[in-house]
Structures are given as C-alpha cells and as structure tokens.
Amino acid sequence: TQESRAVGDDRFRDRVGFPCWKMQRAVTLELVIAAAVFALYCDTKLPTPLPLDAHPSLFSESRANSFAISLGQEPRLAGSKSELDALNTLQGALQQIADDVSSKTTRVKVDVLRTKHTGTFPLLGPGKTTKEQTMAYDRLDALAAKVTIRTSNPSGGIDPGTTRFLTGGTSDTTRNKSPHSLLLAAHLDSVHVSPGGCDNAANVAVLVETFRAFVSRVSEEVGSDDETDDQTNNAYEEDSASTCQEDKATGGPGFEPGTCASQDATSTSTTTNRHATTTPLILLFTSAEEDGFMGAGGFVKDHPWFATHVAAFVNFEAMGNGGPHRLFRVTHGGSSRDLLRMWSAGSQSPVGTVVASDIFASGLIKSDTDFRVFRDDGDVPGLDLAFVENTEVYHTPHDTFESIRPGSLQASGDNALGFARLYHTNLMRNPGAMNHDSTRFLVEKGNVSTTTPTDVRRASENGTTKKAPLSVWFSFPLLKYFVVVAVPGTPVAIALLLVALSVIVAVVPVEVVPVSSTYGAAGVENYSTLLVAAGGVVGVGVAFLAAPVAGGVVAVSTAFLLATPTAWVSSYACFLCLVVPVAVLVIFWVLQCTRRAIAILTQRALAHAFADRRDSAATNNQKNDEYHLDVARFADRTFLACVATFHAGLAAFMFYRNVASAYVFAVPAVLMLIGVLSVGNRGVNAWPFLPALVANAVLSVPIAVSLVQLAVGMTPRSRPPPGSSWYLYDLICGVVLGGAVAVVATPLLACVFVWCPPLDGNRRTKKQSGLSFSAVVTWVCLVAHFAAFAYMYVQSKKVDTTSWPYTQASPQQVASFVAVDVFNGSWVKKPNWVLQPAGPGRVGKGFRRTLSNGGLVHSPGAEWTCEEDTHEDAPTDDENSTLNKHWSHKDTHSALNTHWDLASYGLRGTGSCVFSNQALSKEIEALRINLNVTTTTGSPRGGEHGWPAITPVTIDFAGHTRFVLAVDKRCARRVAFQFGVDAAKEDLSAIGFGRESAPGVSDALPERGTSARGAQPPTGPWRSTSKGGAGSGTASTRYAVFGVGGNDAITVPSKSTLWLESFDTYPTKCLTDALQIRVDADFETDFLAKVTKHAPNWQTRFAKHHTPLKLALVTHAGLQGTGGTIPSSGDTD
C-alpha cells in the first residue's frame, strides 16, 4: 500500500540519509555510466605486441614494424621512385618467403607475380549514380603473391585445377573454373605530402607478416612426403603449366606471355587421387589508390589471377593513425553474410558496426577505398577495414609510422591471420552439412549488390532469386565475435510497430462511460487516453529531433559570433562543452513538458472513471493520495510507453528503408517495452528499465564517440562547396554531436524523470530541501556551455594568438603548389604560388606569416592577393607598412578567381591566396624539368554528312604521368580516351608528313568524315558527358578524365589522345576552349621549398586525389584544329 511504501521510504531515509527513489536514480545512473565507460574501453583496447623472436607461426607486431620502416619515410606517390623502391623491397620480402618455404617442403608453393596494367574505367560519385568521371591508368604496377597447398587426398580435399570438394578419395577431372581464394589487399602508394605511415605502410606490413605467418603454419601442418617428392614436383609443374596457359589467355596489357614460353608444349595436366591442391590465400598490393582506385581497377579488369582464383576479399585501409582496425563496410548479397560470419569466428577481437557501413552507403562521407572497385566491378563479396584513430593526421605530413599506437598492428594482424586460417580450414572441409551442396564453397563469388541494399541489379542471396535480407552486425563488449543477424527489413518493421502499439493499448487505461438505453445499462469506451499516448509519442519525437537542431544552431551561432568557422577545431573539449549541455537541456525540458502534459491530459481523460474517488478525496487524505497515485502511475507508464514506442517506430522506419543501423534503436526499444509491461500497477521504479538503459549505453556510446571524433577530425580537410555557407561544417558537426546526444540521452533522461518522490498528504509531491533535480541539471548545463564560450572568446581576443583557432597540435590543413599557365610549350601568365585551404575558413593569416618569415614582401615584382579579404583577414598594425601597402593592392593581381582554372575545379570560392614575383618567374624559366605540355587538335571525322563530328585531341604530357582532362559538357556529347595513341602523327603519316616524301601524296589534311586515312575513332569505351560533375568554382560544368601512370610511363613516355564527339551546335567558346587540361609534376621548386620551410607551425599540407601536386601546368584546347574549320552552324552561344 501507499502507507507501507511511505514507511519503507522513511526507514531507508533514516539509514542512508536520502529517500529510496534517490538511491534508485543514483545507482541507475552509476551503472549506466559504468556500462558506457566499459564499452568504450572494450571498443578501443589493444593487445600487447609480440616481440621479434615470437614463434614464426604467430603474428608479431615487432616484425611488421621492422618491415614497415624498410619501406622508407618518403611519400610514395604513384609512379614515383620512392614507390618503385618500396615495391622492390616488398617484392624481395615476398620472394624471401617463397624461398624459405621451398627449402622446407615441396607441398607448399608461393608464387610472386608483378604485372603492369593499362586501361580506363568509369567511377561514380560516392553513394551516387548521377555523377561520373573516367579513371585512366598507364602501366601501373601491381604485385601479388599466392600460396598453393598440395596435400595427400585419401579422404577428401580439392582437386587440382578445380574448385570441387572430393569425398572418399574419388577424383573429379572436370575443370570447374569457379574461384575459391581469399584476397587480402592493400595499396602501397601515398599522397605526395604524406609519408603514409599508417596510410598505408602499416597495412602493407600487416599483410606481409600475416602471409609469412600463414605460410609458416601451413608448412608445419602439411610437412614433407619424401616418397612422393618427385610426383609432387611433377604435379606442381603440370598444374603450373596449365595455370600459366590460363593466365596467358586472360592476362592484361602488362602481363608478359614470355613467362610461359618454356611450358607452351606442356600437355594437358593429369590429376592423381593422391594429391589435392588449393590456393587459399592471395596477397595484392596496388598503386594509385589515392588517385582514384586505379590500381585496383586494373587488377580486377585484367590480372590473370582475379577471374580464376578470387572468391572473396578483405581490403586494408587507414583513415587515421592507428587504433583498432575497424570493420566499417561489408558487401551485401551473395555470400557476404557467410564471409562476415567467418570473419567474426576467425578474428581474435573484431571491432566494428554496420552503422559505419550505412553512413558510407549514404554518400555522406565523400571518400572511398579500393573496396568499391572489388565490389562494383569485381562482383566479389568482401570486407573493408580501416584505422580511424587520430583522423586529423590523415593525408598530412604527421601521418608517420612512429605515431601509431602500440598494439594497433598486433590487433589487425591477429584478426587477419585467424581469419585466413579459418578460411583455409573451411576450404579443406566438406561444406555439405552447412550449404546442403557438396560442390559449393561456403563463400562464393557473385550476386553482390553494387551500392546499397536496395540495388536491384544484384541483390540476391547465394545465387537465388530471393532478395537478401539486411545484415545487422556489431561488436559487443567481452564477446570475441560479432553479433550477426539476418533481418528481413519490412516484416521486422511491421512486427516492431505491432508490438509497440500492443503495449500502448495494454498499459494505457481505456475509460468505460455508462449510458442509458431501452435495453438496460450499457457503456461506451472512451479512447481519449490513446490520443494522449499518441501526443506523447510526438512529444518524445520532438525532444529527440530537437537535440541535433540545437547542436547545429549552437555550433553555427558560436562560429558566427566569433567570426571564425570551426572556432573549436583545436579544442575537442570546448566543442563538447558547447554543444552537449545545450542538447541535454533541450531534451530534458521537452521530455519534462511532455510528461507533465501526459499527466494533466491523463487525469482529465480519466475524470469520469475516478469521479467517486475524487469526490471523496476532499474529506479523506488516504483516498486523495491513492487517487493522485493512480493517476501518476497511469501517466508515468504512458510516458515510458511513448518513449519506447517512438524508438520502436524509428527502428521500424529504418528497417523498412533497409537501414541496418536501426538495431541501435530496436534493441533498447524492445527492452523498454518489456520494462513497461513488467512494472504492472505497482508503480514505476528504476530496476525494470536497467537492461534497456545499459543496452542503450553499450550499443550507442562507442558509436557516438567514434562518429563525433570522425566528424571533428574530418572538418579541417572538408572545404564547403563553392556557393555554400562558410559555416557549413559547423552545422554538420553540431548536428552530428547533437544527434549522438539524442541517441544516448533520450532513454536515460526519460526514465530518470519518472522516479519521483512518494506522494504525501494533500500535496502532489513532497517538497525537497535545496535545489530540485531539474534546477541542478539546468544550471550545470548552462554554466558548462557559457564557460566554454567565454574561454573561446578570450582566446580569440588575445593579441599574441594570431594563429587562433589553430595550433601546432591541431593545424590548419592547406594545399600548397606552384601553378603555371602554359600553352603549347610556353607559359602565358606569371607563375603563381597558390595557398588553398583544405577545409573551412581562409588562409590569409598563415599566408602573410609565410611571406614575412621568408622575406618575400620586399622581393622584386612581388604581388599577391587573397580571395574575399575581410577586416579580420587584414594585416595587423604590428606588421610592416610594406606588407600593408601590398595587401591593399589586391586588384593588381589577376590570377585569382575568374582567371585561375585548375580543370577539375577553380580557385573561386575557396578562400585561396596567390603570390608571384620575378624570382619565381625566372626559376620556372630555368627549371630542369620539361614544361612543354602541348596539344594538337585534329580535323573532325565522323558519321553521315560529317555529323556527329568526332575530333581527336592529341596530348603530349611532357613526360609527366598525372593529369586531369576536363571537357565542357556543352561542347561534347561523348568522350573516349586512349593511352599511347598519337592521332596527330597518324593523320600526318596518312598524308605524307612525318616520313619521306612520296610522289603523288597530297599535302592536304583528310576531309571531314573520311574513314580511309588517318587516325580512326575507337569503338569504345565511350563515356557520356551528361554525368559530368567536375568544374566547381569555374564558369562551366565538366566531365573529367583523371589519369596517372606508373614508373615505366615516366621512363618511356608516350602521347595520348582524347576523342570528343561534339553536338550539332555548341557555344563559340568550344572552338578554342572545349577542354581544360592540368598536368601535375611532383617537383618542388626552390621557391616552394622556401615557403614550405617558413610556413607557420600551425599550418600543415594536405592532399587528396584532385589536389594538384607541387607543380601544376595548366593549358587548354578547342575543337578547332589546324586541319579545317567547324561549320558556321555551330557558332552559336
């Protein structure tokens, strides 16, 4: 009874000093916080690294470290000498593994294959199919190694050259070409400004050490059979000959058929019953991943091992510097879930969540990895892993191998090695009991969805027509494996909604109102309380959505008041104190108002049912207490049911939309619904809701912390698109943090509210001494918020803090390069040093500091400007008058904004600064590298009556291998690119130029439309320019072709041709400016070295795939060439 509860509460107060309900609140909060901290600890802990002398079959971080250091400390740009040296070192290490195993056993063989690839492929925008660019690669190196294991086969195994499992010693001589190997892939290259310590030398070292340990263990297991050594060697040779012929037939442009010459006469291989062969593991090291996944594209397209061997893949990446190697993406469809379960079972401590996979699939993160090429073009199930700790050093000079947290490589290697061994074990078993088909592997290639779970092109499961369900997967504390659940989205969504509505109906009282009738007393049901519950669900939704809105408003308001975007970038704690208190406060009071409104409306809705007790309550205190207590019970249960129903509805909507991240809301919602049902009519207390609150903390807190750290870390390198707000990323980070608070805090705060002090006498609640809980929460949140803002304001006004808000530990990330506008071998404008912000804000402060430190202000011919100079960017009084004078003449420099066009984008709208002087111009004239980037536009040729006209533009890249060709979408309908094709030379050869003069050969160029002479357009592949999305910050939208070449493309350069299929009519500008070209050179001029040396320590260089290298050569070409004129019908604007 109420009296006994009150007496019990008083006795508890006498013992411990405060009521029982306060003890419940305190204990619950402590348990939830402890669960969250424990979950974070489990999410980020790393194992102890093993030493150099660890057993050879174990992964040793110390050995991996030694190899990573041997790759060098210089940036490994694709095609550069440093990448070539690292590739040679890597090949030597793999060959050493092959030699070591060959000296121990004849049953294990390691093959190392180095190939070169040339070609093109289309690349769609992240998460989108409406934007496309062409990736072109020329003689890129790829290095692969595979291990082939041959064992005696008395009872089963895999027949050589087949992928069929054999049972009972029977042989199968059919040559089934279904692949079965596991591919572990990592890229070797890095961006040109970073040593690539974690991205990606650490991953390369992990794979090499994993491969070595795997081969060592397999060699120990299979041993050596002296009696059959000759037979084994013969079988290897026979199988090798057969494989070589297959490789020769499927080899790419870089594959050398001569390697099979000694085996061309080998007869068809024979298979014995005594031996079974399998190739469980392949390593792949690609190039040009940082330039747009071109190395992976070449491997998938024409590597001899991909089509015949690879059935699954794991891609090893980095988006930070160390920490747990998180699984953040899994393919959908086909055998993807089986592969995920195998990774979960084989890895020693897997870490990851499907939430990251959903975020990448949405396109919110504008970056990607080789994973997308293996998935989209290779149709192979796979996994994507990444280091994401300290993401602020990503692609900067601070990404050093020494800064990686100890244990990071050990954790990654232990997982990879355990997975590879389990994969091999499963290959050697008969999987019939698992797949009900003795001729199929557990993991098979094919039926992989290309982008999202809703992709209709390939979304079946295991080759059937049945649509694959969602895969919900996440790591959980203390578990050494993932929780993996197959969830059919729509049925589960409907079930969640039905359960939530059933609980609402069960706990919400429905009043029965008596009425009179001719047939006697009867009654009608009054469903007004259900309307109250519906309003409560809406109120909880408002509280949940108000948090990210408040977070975004606070972040943007702070940046606006301090006149600096991302003013909190150097202080993660300040950012948390700015946003989190406000988000908590908004949720707190909206939920408080929702609960009070439910209580008032519930009392009114039940007025008739409690009429008798209410009327007698005025004269009976006990009945008065019971009356109000019953109303409070109903209101609190209704309120908690509304909270659970909102989370269940949100999870149902996400499942219906095929978003597997819904589990974050579904699990706590179900537990809360159980808690609501369990309290019955005894009143609400804390204990039934502890499982829901603890589960919410364990599931959501690690995800929330990781996402917020990722958003904050990415902000310094995420520049708002031209035309967007300066404070765009303040808004994004504020919304992300506010959303994280909503996910974590809404269930907790909702449950805290209902633990009220017991009712006493005629008063609704017993008045407590001191401040109320609501007042304490409000004051704590407000003090924390304004203290953080005051600290940031004081820092921004300090006279000596000219670098604010950046510090040496959290520097501003910038792109720094020299740009030269050239045209057919001569530069036509002054060379300029360009300093461009990689993220929000301006670079004026660092730019001025660099000029002053380097003594460039007084240099002859010095002039400069920065885009959109503001009062805050203007020089301070303590700077010399010469700098002030030059700064005021910003209009004298014409190289910025409308004049500087970098092909794939322009400087307009980026907040960049440019500088030039006489010394830089003289240095460019005297450079020892070739600047003669030239273009030759041939005469149009094409279809009937000359239309559509197809015009070749031959480009001499002057020995440089990184370029961007950006075609104005108004000038060309389709484009096709060819490496090594000199259309201009072929045209000239056809009419007698470029060779000995021949009698009777006309000196005229081929007529338009002729096909008998000169260079001929390719049959494909042609790309439509309608999907082009490059050229931001310029006056036109363009279709871009990004190209990169390997080291051979540098030593043996060749010309290339871009074919343009024009429209019937096009603007006049297309005659001279249809194509913008940028050729990048990794050559640091003395001037650039000087400004880099004198740059402030709170600025650091950053690069991504479209960032120019140290020297950018810019030119253009049109449709009008030397061989004829375009008809006047095209001269329209």
Side-chain angles (χ1 to χ4, degrees):
T1 65
Q2 168 65 14
E3 291 176 318
S4 62
R5 285 194 295 271
V7 171
D9 194 66
D10 290 339
R11 292 176 179 175
F12 189 85
R13 190 205 321 268
D14 293 338
R15 293 197 305 269
V16 300
F18 54 92
C20 182
W21 65 271
K22 283 192 174 182
M23 173 59 75
Q24 290 188 36
R25 174 182 289 169
V27 171
T28 301
L29 288 175
E30 290 172 358
L31 289 176
V32 172
I33 292 174
V37 172
F38 180 71
L40 279 175
Y41 167 76
C42 294
D43 188 65
T44 57
K45 70 175 181 179
L46 296 173
T48 302
L50 293 184
L52 286 170
D53 58 353
H55 191 277
S57 63
L58 298 178
F59 183 96
S60 168
E61 179 175 302
S62 300
R63 289 193 288 256
N65 288 345
S66 299
F67 178 76
I69 294 174
S70 70
L71 295 177
Q73 302 297 314
E74 296 296 321
R76 298 177 300 277
L77 183 68
S80 65
K81 184 180 183 302
S82 56
E83 189 203 37
L84 181 64
D85 293 341
L87 190 66
N88 292 334
T89 300
L90 179 57
Q91 184 174 6
L94 295 177
Q95 191 59 53
Q96 183 63 48
I97 296 174
D99 295 341
D100 290 344
V101 71
S102 65
S103 64
K104 297 178 181 178
T105 179
T106 58
R107 295 189 170 192
V108 179
K109 181 182 180 183
V110 173
D111 295 302
V112 180
L113 180 61
R114 185 165 171 175
T115 55
K116 300 183 185 298
H117 303 272
T118 300
T120 64
F121 66 94
L123 185 68
L124 301 178
K128 298 181 179 180
T129 58
T130 56
K131 290 187 177 181
E132 178 190 283
Q133 56 196 11
T134 290
M135 316 309 292
Y137 50 94
D138 182 23
R139 288 168 280 179
L140 281 182
D141 286 293
L143 182 62
K146 68 177 181 179
V147 54
T148 303
I149 304 170
R150 189 180 301 276
T151 60
S152 297
N153 187 35
S155 60
I158 303 176
D159 187 53
T162 78
T163 59
R164 295 197 176 186
F165 284 84
L166 306 179
T167 58
T170 60
S171 64
D172 184 354
T173 57
T174 61
R175 297 191 61 80
N176 186 346
K177 300 304 180 183
S178 297
H180 65 271
S181 301
L182 171 66
L183 175 71
L184 303 183
H187 69 89
L188 182 61
D189 63 306
S190 70
V191 294
H192 70 282
V193 301
S194 173
C198 194
D199 184 19
N200 208 32
N203 284 309
V204 171
V206 166
L207 293 196
V208 172
E209 175 64 10
T210 298
F211 190 71
R212 186 208 55 75
F214 178 86
V215 172
S216 177
R217 170 67 68 88
V218 169
S219 302
E220 294 175 358
E221 292 175 347
V222 301
S224 178
D225 189 350
D226 296 335
E227 296 179 359
T228 58
D229 277 348
D230 294 337
Q231 293 179 347
T232 303
N233 290 331
N234 291 336
Y236 265 128
E237 293 173 1
E238 293 166 353
D239 187 64
S240 176
S242 177
T243 301
C244 193
Q245 297 305 317
E246 296 165 6
D247 293 349
K248 181 178 179 180
T250 60
F255 183 72
E256 298 180 3
T259 57
C260 300
S262 62
Q263 303 163 354
D264 285 344
T266 303
S267 60
T268 304
S269 64
T270 59
T271 303
T272 68
N273 294 341
R274 297 176 57 90
H275 299 287
T277 299
T278 180
T279 303
L281 187 62
I282 298 177
L283 289 195
L284 171 65
F285 302 98
T286 62
S287 179
E289 189 274 345
E290 303 293 3
D291 295 287
F293 331 120
M294 300 186 198
F299 177 82
V300 169
K301 185 177 180 180
D302 51 36
H303 195 280
W305 290 352
F306 181 79
T308 57
H309 288 79
V310 177
F313 75 92
V314 181
N315 185 53
F316 289 73
E317 258 292 355
M319 201 176 178
N321 189 264
H325 217 169
R326 300 183 182 276
L327 177 63
F328 69 100
R329 275 196 298 185
V330 180
T331 54
H332 184 75
S335 300
S336 299
R337 190 178 301 108
D338 293 331
L339 183 68
L340 174 62
R341 285 172 174 156
M342 194 185 301
W343 172 265
S344 173
S347 301
Q348 292 198 14
S349 56
V351 180
T353 172
V354 72
V355 175
S357 183
D358 287 337
I359 291 175
F360 261 85
S362 69
L364 293 177
I365 297 181
K366 306 298 182 182
S367 62
D368 221 314
T369 69
D370 285 339
F371 173 92
R372 71 176 301 177
V373 176
F374 297 133
R375 176 198 63 191
D376 294 355
D377 300 331
D379 194 14
V380 178
L383 314 174
D384 209 3
L385 304 169
F387 294 111
V388 296
E389 198 170 89
N390 300 322
T391 186
E392 62 275 4
V393 306
Y394 170 74
H395 280 195
T396 71
H398 302 289
D399 181 20
T400 60
F401 187 78
E402 293 75 16
S403 60
I404 299 176
R405 184 154 64 106
S408 300
L409 273 63
Q410 188 68 51
S412 177
D414 288 342
N415 290 343
L417 182 57
F419 173 61
R421 286 173 178 168
L422 180 60
Y423 190 94
H424 174 224
T425 301
N426 285 344
L427 284 181
M428 302 309 296
R429 291 175 179 171
N430 188 336
M434 303 180 67
N435 282 347
H436 308 289
D437 185 353
S438 62
T439 64
R440 296 179 57 202
F441 287 104
L442 182 62
V443 176
E444 290 184 335
K445 178 180 180 180
N447 301 307
V448 176
S449 177
T450 56
T451 51
T452 66
T454 57
D455 183 359
V456 297
R457 183 165 74 90
R458 290 192 307 229
S460 62
E461 186 174 28
N462 292 328
T464 66
T465 57
K466 179 181 177 182
K467 185 177 180 180
L470 292 174
S471 294
V472 174
W473 52 273
F474 55 90
S475 52
F476 199 81
L478 298 182
L479 295 182
K480 295 296 184 180
Y481 51 86
F482 281 136
V483 176
V484 183
V485 182
V487 178
T490 302
V492 171
I494 296 174
L496 275 174
L497 287 178
L498 291 177
V499 170
L501 293 177
S502 299
V503 172
I504 285 285
V505 173
V507 303
V508 174
V510 178
E511 177 188 359
V512 179
V513 183
V515 297
S516 61
S517 91
T518 57
Y519 299 100
V524 296
E525 293 181 339
N526 182 2
Y527 292 98
S528 58
T529 49
L530 294 179
L531 296 178
V532 173
V537 173
V538 173
V540 176
V542 171
F544 186 90
L545 297 177
V549 172
V553 170
V554 167
V556 172
S557 301
T558 301
F560 179 79
L561 293 174
L562 297 177
T564 302
T566 62
W568 37 264
V569 69
S570 61
S571 179
Y572 185 53
C574 278
F575 180 57
L576 295 179
C577 291
L578 276 171
V579 177
V580 172
V582 176
V584 169
L585 203 57
V586 168
I587 298 174
F588 185 95
W589 280 108
V590 174
L591 289 178
Q592 188 77 286
C593 294
T594 300
R595 177 174 173 266
R596 290 180 179 178
I598 289 176
I600 295 173
L601 294 176
T602 300
Q603 181 178 358
R604 292 181 179 178
L606 299 177
H608 189 277
F610 291 159
D612 295 338
R613 291 160 58 187
R614 187 182 67 246
D615 293 340
S616 62
T619 58
N620 190 318
N621 289 336
Q622 181 178 353
K623 290 185 177 180
N624 187 37
D625 289 343
E626 292 178 354
Y627 165 69
H628 288 296
L629 181 61
D630 286 338
V631 172
R633 287 174 183 166
F634 291 135
D636 286 343
R637 292 187 72 196
T638 301
F639 173 69
L640 287 175
C642 292
V643 175
T645 301
F646 169 77
H647 284 78
L650 182 59
F653 174 76
M654 295 174 69
F655 277 135
Y656 176 75
R657 299 292 297 176
N658 291 302
V659 180
S661 304
Y663 81 90
V664 176
F665 304 102
V667 174
V670 171
L671 294 177
M672 284 192 69
L673 291 173
I674 295 174
V676 170
L677 291 175
S678 66
V679 295
N681 293 322
R682 297 170 299 170
V684 179
N685 59 72
W687 313 127
F689 299 96
L690 265 179
L693 298 179
V694 170
N696 181 70
V698 170
L699 292 177
S700 61
V701 169
I703 297 173
V705 171
S706 297
L707 290 182
V708 172
Q709 289 180 340
L710 185 64
V712 172
M714 289 178 60
T715 295
R717 61 176 183 265
S718 302
R719 184 174 63 247
S724 59
S725 172
W726 203 14
Y727 306 112
L728 175 63
Y729 283 93
D730 291 278
L731 176 65
I732 291 175
C733 290
V735 169
V736 169
L737 181 53
V741 172
V743 173
V744 174
T746 301
L748 178 62
L749 293 177
C751 291
V752 167
F753 287 147
V754 301
W755 305 330
C756 299
L759 303 176
D760 184 20
N762 293 325
R763 308 185 66 179
R764 297 292 302 274
T765 58
K766 180 177 289 186
K767 184 176 181 181
Q768 303 297 317
S769 59
L771 294 176
S772 66
F773 179 73
S774 299
V776 171
V777 171
T778 302
W779 279 107
V780 169
C781 290
L782 291 177
V783 169
H785 170 75
F786 285 108
F789 180 82
Y791 172 81
M792 294 175 62
Y793 179 80
V794 171
Q795 292 296 318
S796 67
K797 297 303 178 181
K798 283 186 177 180
V799 177
D800 57 344
T801 313
T802 57
S803 64
W804 186 84
Y806 303 102
T807 63
Q808 185 173 359
S810 300
Q812 182 184 30
Q813 298 182 11
V814 298
S816 177
F817 55 93
V818 173
V820 184
D821 196 344
V822 300
F823 185 72
N824 285 346
S826 60
W827 53 273
V828 296
K829 291 182 181 178
K830 287 185 177 181
N832 289 269
W833 166 52
V834 179
L835 189 66
Q836 182 181 26
R842 310 284 194 260
V843 292
K845 293 180 180 179
F847 180 76
R848 297 195 307 272
R849 179 66 62 86
T850 301
L851 297 183
S852 299
N853 293 345
L856 299 172
V857 176
H858 305 284
S859 61
E863 54 181 1
W864 58 86
T865 187
C866 289
E867 185 183 34
E868 298 180 10
D869 292 330
T870 63
H871 176 71
E872 290 78 11
D873 287 330
T876 56
D877 294 337
D878 62 332
E879 292 176 307
N880 59 69
S881 58
T882 304
L883 183 58
N884 284 325
K885 178 180 178 181
H886 279 270
W887 196 267
S888 63
H889 289 82
K890 60 183 180 180
D891 294 333
T892 62
H893 199 290
S894 61
L896 194 60
N897 297 342
T898 58
H899 294 278
W900 259 122
D901 192 333
L902 298 176
S904 59
Y905 72 98
L907 295 182
R908 183 171 54 186
T910 64
S912 302
C913 295
V914 296
F915 173 90
S916 67
N917 62 4
Q918 294 180 9
L920 178 58
S921 300
K922 293 180 179 179
E923 183 180 354
I924 295 298
E925 291 178 349
L927 281 181
R928 62 179 182 273
I929 65 171
N930 190 354
L931 302 181
N932 297 324
V933 177
T934 60
T935 62
T936 303
T937 302
S939 61
R941 63 216 68 191
E944 186 177 359
H945 306 300
W947 298 106
I950 300 179
T951 304
V953 180
T954 302
I955 308 165
D956 183 353
F957 295 112
H960 308 299
T961 60
R962 192 175 189 265
F963 58 85
V964 182
L965 312 178
V967 181
D968 194 323
K969 293 171 60 175
R970 298 169 297 176
C971 302
R973 178 188 291 110
R974 296 190 305 165
V975 298
F977 181 77
Q978 292 179 303
F979 276 114
V981 174
D982 189 344
K985 182 178 180 180
E986 292 182 22
D987 284 346
L988 292 176
S989 297
I991 60 174
F993 292 123
R995 64 178 185 181
E996 295 293 335
S997 59
V1001 176
S1002 173
D1003 290 339
L1005 289 172
E1007 296 180 1
R1008 185 177 65 252
T1010 59
S1011 59
R1013 298 185 299 172
Q1016 297 304 306
T1019 57
W1022 287 86
R1023 310 296 183 196
S1024 173
T1025 61
S1026 60
K1027 291 186 177 182
S1032 61
T1034 65
S1036 60
T1037 304
R1038 298 165 179 166
Y1039 185 91
V1041 177
F1042 289 89
V1044 68
N1047 190 263
D1048 283 3
I1050 298 176
T1051 56
V1052 186
S1054 62
K1055 296 182 180 180
S1056 301
T1057 297
L1058 180 69
W1059 297 85
L1060 306 176
E1061 180 184 280
S1062 59
F1063 294 100
D1064 291 348
T1065 59
Y1066 45 79
T1068 305
K1069 70 171 289 290
C1070 297
L1071 297 175
T1072 57
D1073 189 15
L1075 170 66
Q1076 290 290 322
I1077 303 171
R1078 190 185 79 232
V1079 178
D1080 295 334
D1082 188 34
F1083 180 84
E1084 187 171 59
T1085 65
D1086 293 338
F1087 178 88
L1088 187 61
K1090 182 176 182 179
V1091 296
T1092 301
K1093 177 182 177 181
H1094 292 290
N1097 58 12
W1098 44 267
Q1099 272 188 348
T1100 188
R1101 291 178 295 168
F1102 171 81
K1104 45 190 171 185
H1105 88 274
H1106 63 76
T1107 304
L1109 300 184
K1110 299 172 184 177
L1111 181 63
L1113 310 176
V1114 183
T1115 187
H1116 65 277
L1119 295 177
Q1120 181 175 345
T1122 59
T1125 59
I1126 302 296
S1128 58
S1129 60
D1131 296 346
T1132 58
D1133 288 321

